[in-house]
Amino acid sequence: MDSSADDVETVRQALIRLMAIADRLESRNAHTVLRIEAATAALEQGVSRLDAGGERFAERALQVIGNNAQQAVAQGAGQAVDELRQRLQQSANSAQAAARAMDEQRRGLTSARRSLVWNAAVALLLGSLLAMGSAAWTIHRSAQQLAQLHFGQDILRATQRGAINRCGDSLCARVGRKPARFGKDGQYVLLGD
C-alpha cells in the first residue's frame, strides 16, 4: 500500500515539475512574441519615417532641379523610394510572420500543458483506484484471517467445555442425547454443550 502511495506521490511531483516547465516555456514565448511585436512596430515606424523623409527629399529635389532634370530625378527618386519601401515592407512581413509562428508555438505549448494536466489527472485517478483496490484486498484478506481466528477460538472453547475431546488416538465430540443436524442434507451434527 505504501508503494502505490509512493507511486502517486512520484506522479504528482512529476506533474508539478512538468507544469512548472510548461509555465516557464509559455512565459518565454510570450516575452519573445512581445519583443517581436515591438520590433515590428518600430520597423513599421521607421518605414513610415523613411517614407515621409523620402517624399520630402523628392519634393525638394524637384523644386531645385530644372524642368528637364526634374523628370529624371523624380523618376529615379520614386524608384529608389519604392524599392526601399518594398524591402522594408518585406522585412516587416517577415517579422510579423515570425511573431505569428511564435504565437502558434505558444498555443501549442498551452495545449501540451493542458494535455499534461489531463494525463496527470488520469494517472492520479488510476493510482487512487490501485490504492483502493489494494486496500480492499487487504481488508478482504484480514476478514478471512479474522474468520479463521474466530474458528480457532471456537474450537478452543469447545475443547475447554469438553465438547471436543481425545478418545484414545482419535478425536471425539459430545453431541448430546438427541443430536441436532446441520447442512443441506443434515451431514453435520451440532456439538452439545
Side-chain angles (χ1 to χ4, degrees):
M1 196 153 100
D2 290 338
S3 175
S4 61
D6 290 345
D7 290 346
V8 170
E9 181 61 25
T10 302
V11 169
R12 189 179 72 74
Q13 290 295 324
L15 173 63
I16 290 170
R17 287 193 294 269
L18 286 173
M19 288 177 65
I21 290 169
D23 284 341
R24 277 189 251 136
L25 287 174
E26 184 176 349
S27 174
R28 286 182 184 170
N29 281 343
H31 181 67
T32 304
V33 167
L34 289 175
R35 287 178 37 205
I36 289 174
E37 288 175 351
T40 301
L43 191 55
E44 287 175 352
Q45 287 177 352
V47 168
S48 296
R49 281 184 289 204
L50 190 55
D51 192 23
E55 287 177 6
R56 284 194 302 268
F57 170 77
E59 288 173 7
R60 288 182 187 149
L62 289 173
Q63 290 172 358
V64 172
I65 299 172
N67 290 337
N68 290 342
Q70 184 177 4
Q71 283 183 334
V73 170
Q75 191 175 21
Q79 287 175 352
V81 168
D82 285 342
E83 189 177 316
L84 183 59
R85 184 182 304 143
Q86 287 174 356
R87 287 185 185 165
L88 288 174
Q89 187 62 43
Q90 288 172 352
S91 295
N93 290 342
S94 295
Q96 287 174 345
R100 284 191 295 272
M102 291 298 288
D103 191 47
E104 284 296 320
Q105 286 180 353
R106 182 190 56 79
R107 283 190 218 128
L109 285 172
T110 300
S111 175
R113 185 180 71 176
R114 283 189 198 119
S115 176
L116 284 173
V117 168
W118 278 106
N119 287 342
V122 168
L124 285 174
L125 177 64
L126 289 175
S128 298
L129 289 175
L130 287 172
M132 285 174 35
S134 176
W137 183 84
T138 302
I139 289 171
H140 173 70
R141 185 72 180 126
S142 296
Q144 287 178 336
Q145 289 173 347
L146 187 60
Q148 288 177 348
L149 179 66
H150 284 298
F151 182 72
Q153 288 175 346
D154 289 343
I155 289 177
L156 178 64
R157 274 190 240 121
T159 304
Q160 288 172 345
R161 285 190 326 248
I164 296 177
N165 207 349
R166 270 233 181 262
C167 298
D169 289 337
S170 300
L171 289 176
C172 57
R174 182 178 57 204
V175 293
R177 294 190 189 271
K178 291 185 179 180
R181 298 213 167 255
F182 184 78
K184 185 170 106 177
D185 297 324
Q187 70 269 29
Y188 294 102
V189 175
L190 297 176
L191 297 178
D193 289 331

